[in-house]
Amino acid sequence: MKAMRNGLLLLALFALYYLAPLEFRALWQPDETRYAEISREMLASGDWIVPHFFDLRYFEKPVVGYWINNFSQLLFGHTNFAVRFGSVFSVTLAALLLYWLTLRIWRDRATALMAGVIFLTSLLVYGIGTYAVLDPAITLWLVAAMCAYWLTTEVSTFRKKALAWLLLGFACGMGFMTKGFLALAVPVIAILPWAVQQRRFKELLGFGGVAVIGAAIISAPWAIAVAQHEPDFWHYFFWVEHIQRFAEANAQHKAPFWYYLPVLVGGSLPWLALLPGAILGGWRERKQDAGSFYLLSWLIMPLLFFSIAKGKLPTYILPCFAPLAALMAREAVRLMATNGKALRVNGWINLLFGLICTIAVVGFLAPWGLAKHPLYAAHEQLKVVLAAIIFLFWAGCGLATLAAPARRWAWAAFAPLALALLIGAVIPDRIRDAKQPQAFIHEMKDQIAPSRFVLANNPGLASGLAWELQRSDILLYQQPGEVQYGLSYADAKGKFIAEAEFAAWLQQHRREGSVTLMLVMSRDREDTDAEVPKADRSYRRGRLAVYQYGQTP
């Protein structure tokens, strides 16, 4: 009975964390609206080989991440839930695989179960796992690859070993088709120190070819097909998306070497006190416990790899949280048996984190706060109250665990629950207007939809328009942004209108039908009325503005 009760509780928690909130949070631009729209265009066109964005070639990523989103939209329709469900599906499967691996390593169900719980409730995993980007999908394939490699070490016959290596290749191939060549490099980097320590380097070299064959078998059909349809795809994807983004001096998202340390610390909440012991324990047991060192190598080596790369984003280290969660679960079970001090410390961390964030919201970010420019406006008092409730709940969970740390330490899993359920309701208007234009676009839909031409001044806003209006012919105005490469093709002529050319373009094209121009303005440029031709109608909300021009004879 107790096992059934605990199982139902876990399912209920999963539904509250990962399913219930998906539909009720507006999509964020540029990421969520981009991936929503690319998959929508794939389904509309029937072309599942070459990704397109506003009917422009979009070669930044391969195709499997879009395929996952395609199936999600086929199942759940044109909804925010569908846009995000692909990420939820990916991290959920990754958690189940992590449960399997942890159970195989230590043969303890409690540790394996807590590994999955810690993984799914870690702040970074939850934040990215309910957000429509490709990183949850690549995490799934990398976890699958590491599970497959562990399987190769457990089987004894040549046939079973070859099949396990083939599975490893399949996982790497799917990762390659999700986010590129990194999916082939990261598992090797993670495995190598462990293989050397365990004297399995010869086996790695001997059977590595089988994994390469597996990766080729699963990825070659699409890789060849996309090259036939678009011969420039691989040149652009390899040189621009890999070399420039990760190595060159002008790499995107440049950050210092230590960038991921605070990401690792903050992302580990509400389990932060387990982090030092988990890493040190894995290192101390590296000789007598092969599984601990395997997980530690999987955590540290990719972390170093991404730290060396010039381009950095928090999402890149999401796969590192799988082995970290397993090591944390191992540490927590050990501490529970010895009434370890770290369990009490974890309660204090959550209590203090919740209280400090509550004070920050009420004392500084609120309209009456001490900040020179408060984040919340005067009419957003309810949002301030809800934000305070989020962090007071977090603090309350920390306090509850302090009453009996050895028995209640796992209650930390409840700490982010209020955040998960209420975050969509506490986004300040100034952020919502700039980063979540979906609600405004939805309200304006009836006025915008009849327009013959619709323009937006950045790809993020344009993708929001395309998604809400279900049309891919949105034109780019002022800045091409991430679709600059797609605009370089001859058949993309007329898809971008420079600011200096807009008046002349408008005079010519409004003869063909009405025109809608939608802008998101920078904070230092909130008055654009004098900088665009006088409109027949205009609408404003915060930093969003819509200008409409009727058809002329």
Side-chain angles (χ1 to χ4, degrees):
M1 277 300 286
K2 185 179 179 181
M4 180 180 294
R5 192 166 57 247
N6 289 340
L8 291 174
L9 176 61
L10 288 175
L11 286 175
L13 270 180
F14 176 80
L16 289 173
Y17 270 111
Y18 279 91
L19 299 178
L22 298 187
E23 179 64 25
F24 305 106
R25 299 199 313 254
L27 299 180
W28 287 80
Q29 64 98 354
D31 292 330
E32 291 196 301
T33 51
R34 176 201 304 127
Y35 294 119
E37 176 57 19
I38 291 173
S39 285
R40 191 199 66 79
E41 290 186 31
M42 276 191 165
L43 292 173
S45 67
D47 181 359
W48 286 45
I49 295 175
V50 183
H52 286 82
F53 193 23
F54 314 125
D55 293 330
L56 301 169
R57 295 165 179 84
Y58 192 76
F59 294 167
E60 288 205 2
K61 298 291 183 292
V63 77
V64 164
Y66 304 132
W67 286 352
I68 293 174
N69 291 337
N70 291 0
F71 285 117
S72 182
Q73 289 189 32
L74 279 173
L75 286 172
F76 302 111
H78 190 80
T79 63
N80 292 359
F81 183 94
V83 172
R84 295 176 171 128
F85 184 76
S87 293
V88 171
F89 174 80
S90 297
V91 295
T92 303
L93 281 188
L96 293 173
L97 288 171
L98 179 62
Y99 171 87
W100 176 89
L101 179 61
T102 308
L103 187 61
R104 301 288 288 213
I105 290 175
W106 289 310
R107 309 293 174 177
D108 182 72
R109 290 190 181 276
T111 303
L113 184 61
M114 280 312 303
V117 171
I118 290 173
F119 177 70
L120 288 174
T121 55
S122 293
L123 199 55
L124 185 78
V125 177
Y126 173 76
I128 300 172
T130 57
Y131 185 69
V133 286
L134 302 182
D135 299 276
I138 190 64
T139 297
L140 167 61
W141 304 124
L142 292 179
V143 171
M146 297 303 289
C147 288
Y149 180 69
W150 186 260
L151 185 62
T152 69
T153 69
E154 290 190 330
V155 295
S156 54
T157 67
F158 179 86
R159 179 175 175 273
K160 290 181 178 179
K161 195 174 286 287
L163 285 174
W165 279 94
L166 199 62
L167 284 176
L168 171 60
F170 288 164
C172 289
M174 293 298 286
F176 167 69
M177 289 198 296
T178 300
K179 217 170 179 184
F181 297 95
L182 287 175
L184 305 178
V186 171
V188 175
I189 293 167
I191 288 167
L192 197 56
W194 187 86
V196 171
Q197 188 220 39
Q198 296 291 311
R199 295 185 174 88
R200 291 182 176 272
F201 190 67
K202 287 185 179 179
E203 181 183 298
L204 182 63
L205 291 177
F207 279 92
V210 178
V212 172
I213 291 171
I217 288 172
I218 205 160
S219 60
W222 172 77
I224 293 170
V226 76
Q228 290 176 337
H229 283 74
E230 297 291 345
D232 197 42
F233 179 91
W234 290 112
H235 174 267
Y236 175 86
F237 182 68
F238 179 74
W239 288 107
V240 176
E241 286 302 306
H242 283 74
I243 303 303
Q244 290 183 10
R245 175 165 288 193
F246 291 99
E248 291 189 358
N250 63 342
Q252 291 182 330
H253 314 298
K254 287 194 294 183
F257 178 83
W258 50 264
Y259 174 85
Y260 287 117
L261 292 180
V263 175
L264 192 69
V265 169
S268 297
L269 287 166
W271 311 100
L272 180 55
L274 302 177
L275 177 62
I279 295 175
L280 291 175
W283 178 252
R284 282 195 302 264
E285 297 175 358
R286 67 189 183 278
K287 293 182 179 179
Q288 63 269 31
D289 186 349
S292 292
F293 187 63
Y294 183 73
L295 294 167
L296 188 66
S297 178
W298 176 9
L299 166 65
I300 298 298
M301 294 305 293
L303 194 63
L304 288 174
F305 174 77
F306 287 116
S307 296
I308 292 169
K310 294 189 184 304
K312 298 177 178 70
L313 283 175
T315 55
Y316 294 169
I317 64 165
L318 180 62
C320 297
F321 275 75
L324 179 60
L327 290 169
M328 282 180 163
R330 174 75 162 176
E331 175 70 4
V333 171
R334 184 188 297 116
L335 290 168
M336 187 172 58
T338 60
N339 201 19
K341 186 186 298 184
L343 297 179
R344 179 173 292 276
V345 172
N346 198 60
W348 277 109
I349 289 174
N350 286 319
L351 173 60
L352 293 174
F353 173 77
L355 291 177
I356 290 170
C357 289
T358 302
I359 293 170
V361 168
V362 175
F364 291 88
L365 304 182
W368 57 80
L370 300 176
K372 186 177 180 181
H373 300 289
L375 190 60
Y376 289 99
H379 66 278
E380 297 182 284
Q381 296 180 18
L382 178 59
K383 291 185 177 183
V384 174
V385 172
L386 292 175
I389 289 173
I390 287 173
F391 294 113
L392 283 174
F393 183 85
W394 194 305
C397 290
L399 182 62
T401 62
L402 287 174
R407 286 190 297 109
R408 297 182 179 178
W409 66 272
W411 288 17
F414 293 92
L417 184 57
L419 178 69
L421 295 173
L422 297 177
I423 185 63
V426 302
I427 303 297
D429 285 357
R430 65 167 62 185
I431 295 177
R432 182 201 64 191
D433 292 342
K435 293 295 184 180
Q436 293 183 312
Q438 185 181 20
F440 181 60
I441 295 172
H442 187 76
E443 291 174 13
M444 295 290 302
K445 187 174 180 179
D446 290 341
Q447 288 93 329
I448 298 174
S451 299
R452 170 66 179 83
F453 301 99
V454 179
L455 299 85
N457 69 332
N458 66 54
L461 183 59
S463 58
L465 282 163
W467 170 255
E468 280 296 315
L469 300 176
Q470 298 188 49
R471 55 189 284 185
S472 56
D473 61 343
I474 310 299
L475 306 181
L476 275 299
Y477 167 71
Q478 280 186 341
Q479 49 184 326
E482 62 192 274
V483 297
Q484 185 167 0
Y485 178 78
L487 289 167
S488 66
Y489 283 80
D491 57 8
K493 186 178 180 181
K495 285 281 191 176
F496 172 70
I497 295 92
E499 186 174 4
E501 301 167 355
F502 178 64
W505 179 94
L506 179 64
Q507 185 177 8
Q508 176 185 349
H509 285 79
R510 66 189 298 188
R511 295 171 186 164
E512 302 174 32
S514 59
V515 176
T516 292
L517 170 65
M518 190 168 186
L519 308 176
V520 57
M521 295 162 285
S522 61
R523 291 186 179 89
D524 57 352
R525 187 184 174 187
E526 295 195 1
D527 184 11
T528 59
D529 289 353
E531 300 177 26
V532 298
K534 183 175 176 55
D536 297 324
R537 294 176 301 278
S538 63
Y539 309 88
R540 298 287 292 269
R541 175 185 286 178
R543 291 168 56 195
L544 294 173
V546 173
Y547 298 92
Q548 294 196 301
Y549 304 88
Q551 183 175 10
T552 57

